Structures are given as structure tokens and as C-alpha cells.
Amino acid sequence: MFDWFQLAQQKESRMVQIRRYLHQYPELSFEEYHTRDFILNQLSQLSCEIRTPVGRNGIVATFKGHGDGPTVALRADFDALPIDELTEVDYKSKNPGVMHACGHDGHTAILLGVAEIIENHLTSLNGDVVLIFQYGEEIMPGGSQEMIDDGCLQDVDKIYGNHLWSGYPTGTIYSRPGALMASPDEFSITIQGKGGHGAKPQETIDPVVIMAEFIMSAQKIVSRTIDPVKQAVISFGMVQAGSADNIIPDSAFCKGTVRTFDTEIQTHVMTKMEKLLKGLAVANDITYNFDYIKGYLPVHNHQDNYEVVKQAANDMNLRFNESDLMMIGEDFSHYLKVRPGAFFLTGCGNPEIDTIHPHHSPCFNIDEKAMKYATSEFLKILELEKVIFKAP
């Protein structure tokens, strides 16, 4: 068999170089033009067929095999976040207010590392390898559905994806069969009351008190109307009202998120929120606006492909663990609705070098050693899927 870990290790410095360059020049979702051009420049030096743009800004690179093996796709995302970086690394972001705070720079470096290793083993390709470089993962509607609509999975049989994860230690692989990540919905609510002087509340319809009542009542939707063994979260991330201590405002505004794994529960939560607002409107003579946006589908791994991820990790002597259910969202879910596949997490958390900050933190960083583990995992998956002939 090929020693995929050794081959990945030989590419480690190259992947670090790529990742650090991308880290210095992050670009926001749907604005990743320099990043796309950089990826294209790297791919243009290889023997793959390149199609771009796929969707708005994506790239699909295909290595053609010589046998009757399947076509397997691997995906990386390459957008960044609107965050001011607070790390003190020498490759810190040079774009003010923009930062790779979720590891997408590492994902791209990993997939380019896979591409360069495949380039050196073209005669061993039994099937086709499709590398999907995706834009816009961080902002709905996300880039995955647009790329799917533009045919990125047209000839693909299976698809796999990876996410570097600071919450898990370096050298580990995590996944689980079935549901892995939630559907991240968004909502916003405006309650319109009647403002006035804070000394005369009887002459007003106080939207602040009514909004507070709604927020408290909404917490009971999960705790008292949903089966406790099922999962749902309602969180309020923004509440705004008023401009002075002695003025009752005309309106109050809030924004938040709902996380679920089940479409029936998703609908139940949305319906209950609407009923609460209708009841408050009748009881308090207010009007309201309720805007609910359904997010990405839940990430749902296919059983057979999860088993491939698990076997690949075990064969590579990586520490495989079954992941907990995660309330985060990922638009890789849309690929899994169209083709069988699986998503896994590669640990990149190392307290000795301070890479344990949460994702989307201004202090986020990765243990770059994790990239060789993800690269070798991808390559082993291709071997197990019979895309690559086993070495004699």
C-alpha cells in the first residue's frame, strides 16, 4: 500500500506555505476573487481539467483515471469572516476587518496538497478525483447549492469533506453516522408599540416589556413543547430598543438563531414563535414583523461512507472518535442531499501553541500539523473507494 502519511508529511511545509499566504489575504464570502485566482494558479501547474467559475466563484478540478473506478469528489471552502484578527503571528491578516477565523485557509491548503500528491501518482488512478473549491460557505445561501446547480456533482458518485476543528486535539479524526451538524436558521422580529415619556407608561404601549415577555416565553418552546431526547436550540443574539433612559420607544427589535436536526421540529419551533407573537399582539394591541429564514440543511452522513472515514482513520493509525452532535451549521449538507458521502473533523487543537480558541474567535488559529493528517485521511479514503490502485 502507499504510505499516505509519509507522502502527506513530505507536503507539510508546502501546505503550511500555502495556508499562511491565504491567511494573510483573507476575503469575505462571495468576494474571494484574489483567493480564487491564487488557487487557479496552483492548479494550472497540474495535469487536471479545470472548470471555473462554477456557480458564482467556484472551481472544479478533475484528475482523470485510467480504470473503471468510481468518481469521488473532495471539497474545501475558501472564504473568510468579518473579524479583526487579534493573534500575533507573523502571517497575520493584512486585510483589516477580515480574518480566516474558521480554518478555511487550511482546508484549501489541504486540498491543494492532495492535488499535488495525486499529480505524482496519475498512473495509479483507477477512477476520477474531483476537487471542489467552494466559495461562500459562511453566509447563506452559501456557495454549495449554487455550485451543485451549475453541475459540480454531475459525474460524481460520492463526496467527502473535512473541517479542521480546534475543539479536538491534533492527530484525531471525528465523525458520526447520520446527523452530525444542525440546520442553522435565522430570525428577526420587530415589535411596534407606542412610545412616550417614561414617567407616563400608561399612555404608551411599551414594546420593551412585550419583547422581554416574548423572549422569556420563547425559552419554553424547547423546554416544554419538544421531546427532551430530541435536540433544538433557540438563542437571541441581538436585542435593540430605545435611545434614552426616560423615553419609552415606539419599537423593539431582536435577532437570533434556531438550531434543529429535524424538519418537523424546525417547523414546530417556527409555528410556536409565530403563535406567541400573535397572542402578544392581541393582548397588548401591538403589531409585529416576524422574518424567519431557514438555514442550511442538517449535515447527515451516509452510513457506508461514514464507515469508510472510520476505516481510513484506523488504517492510518489516527485516533478515531465518534463526534457528538454539533449545533453548528455547514452547507456541505447540500452535497450530501444529492450524492452519498460523509463529512469529518480533523482535530487541530493544541494548548501548547495556543490553538484551542473557538472558531470565529479573533484569536483563532490552527495547529498546522493537523493538515498532514487530513491530507492522508483524504488519500486513504480514495484508496478505500478504489479510486487509486493499491501499490504493489
Side-chain angles (χ1 to χ4, degrees):
M1 294 187 295
F2 290 106
D3 188 339
W4 295 123
F5 183 75
Q6 182 182 27
L7 291 169
Q9 199 165 27
Q10 291 170 2
K11 285 290 179 183
E12 184 172 21
S13 61
R14 167 74 171 144
M15 289 188 289
V16 168
Q17 177 190 33
I18 292 171
R19 183 255 166 172
R20 291 187 178 188
Y21 175 82
L22 293 172
H23 194 87
Q24 292 179 79
Y25 301 100
E27 294 177 299
L28 296 174
S29 304
F30 304 103
E31 300 175 11
E32 317 93 328
Y33 303 109
H34 176 78
T35 306
R36 180 200 61 193
D37 290 346
F38 174 84
I39 297 168
L40 283 172
N41 183 56
Q42 308 308 306
L43 293 172
S44 67
Q45 302 170 45
L46 307 177
S47 304
C48 54
E49 298 176 2
I50 300 172
R51 186 162 76 92
T52 193
V54 181
R56 261 184 265 191
N57 204 24
I59 303 166
V60 173
T62 303
F63 289 91
K64 305 295 287 187
H66 311 288
D68 57 358
T71 298
V72 174
L74 309 176
R75 173 270 207 167
D77 40 15
F78 57 79
D79 54 328
L81 288 154
I83 295 173
D84 277 312
E85 184 166 6
L86 296 182
T87 68
E88 295 304 326
V89 295
D90 57 8
Y91 50 89
K92 185 176 180 178
S93 171
K94 295 182 178 180
N95 294 341
V98 187
M99 176 191 176
H100 271 296
C102 203
H104 296 188
D105 49 348
H107 301 168
T108 301
I110 289 163
L111 210 58
L112 287 172
V114 169
E116 292 184 7
I117 292 170
I118 291 174
E119 175 75 11
N120 295 329
H121 294 82
L122 291 175
T123 57
S124 298
L125 280 187
N126 182 42
D128 295 350
V129 180
V130 175
L131 304 180
I132 296 173
F133 293 88
Q134 182 202 311
Y135 60 95
E137 188 278 329
E138 295 287 2
I139 296 179
M140 289 191 285
S144 64
Q145 190 59 57
E146 294 180 354
M147 292 189 71
I148 291 166
D149 292 342
D150 200 10
C152 74
L153 296 180
Q154 183 173 342
D155 300 313
V156 169
D157 297 307
K158 304 172 186 180
I159 183 167
Y160 292 89
N162 159 69
H163 205 303
L164 295 168
W165 200 253
S166 65
Y168 293 143
T170 302
T172 58
I173 301 291
Y174 281 74
S175 191
R176 64 181 291 124
L180 173 64
M181 296 177 177
S183 179
D185 299 349
E186 300 175 359
F187 66 83
S188 61
I189 297 166
T190 301
I191 289 177
Q192 186 67 43
K194 179 184 175 184
H197 200 291
K200 294 185 176 182
Q202 75 279 7
E203 296 178 359
T204 73
I205 301 174
D206 191 341
V208 176
V209 174
I210 298 166
M211 179 65 79
E213 184 177 352
F214 171 77
I215 291 172
M216 293 302 295
S217 297
Q219 304 308 307
K220 294 185 290 185
I221 295 173
V222 173
S223 66
R224 289 296 177 267
T225 73
I226 293 174
D227 187 336
V229 302
K230 297 183 179 179
Q231 297 83 18
V233 169
I234 303 175
S235 292
F236 291 83
M238 178 190 296
V239 182
Q240 294 178 337
S243 58
D245 63 343
N246 63 344
I247 300 172
I248 293 173
D250 283 316
S251 64
F253 174 80
C254 74
K255 290 182 71 173
T257 184
V258 173
R259 305 290 169 123
T260 58
F261 293 94
D262 183 293
T263 54
E264 289 185 7
I265 293 177
Q266 180 189 50
T267 301
H268 171 82
V269 172
M270 182 171 59
T271 301
K272 283 290 188 181
M273 292 176 75
E274 181 80 42
K275 284 183 177 180
L276 277 176
L277 288 166
K278 285 181 178 179
L280 289 169
V282 171
N284 297 281
D285 296 322
I286 55 122
T287 59
Y288 68 88
N289 182 68
F290 179 39
D291 188 19
Y292 192 101
I293 302 173
K294 292 184 178 180
Y296 304 147
L297 299 170
V299 174
H300 196 281
N301 284 334
H302 297 252
Q303 180 71 42
D304 290 347
N305 307 98
Y306 159 79
E307 296 293 345
V308 171
V309 169
K310 181 178 180 180
Q311 183 181 343
N314 288 332
D315 289 353
M316 297 296 298
N317 294 316
L318 301 175
R319 289 173 286 163
F320 181 82
N321 299 273
E322 186 166 302
S323 173
D324 294 329
L325 284 168
M326 308 179 80
M327 281 296 181
I328 61 171
E330 235 289 351
D331 76 345
F332 189 82
S333 57
H334 296 142
Y335 299 113
L336 295 177
K337 274 293 183 180
V338 180
R339 294 290 187 272
F343 197 65
F344 63 91
L345 299 107
T346 302
C348 65
N350 185 344
E352 294 182 3
I353 57 172
D354 198 29
T355 64
I356 56 174
H357 294 279
H359 292 247
H360 295 206
S361 161
C363 298
F364 176 83
N365 203 354
I366 65 169
D367 183 350
E368 293 170 323
K369 291 183 174 64
M371 294 192 290
K372 63 175 177 280
Y373 297 114
T375 300
S376 60
E377 175 78 5
F378 269 145
L379 291 163
K380 188 63 180 181
I381 287 170
L382 293 176
E383 181 187 292
L384 292 174
E385 289 287 10
K386 298 180 171 56
V387 179
I388 298 177
F389 287 117
K390 289 185 179 180

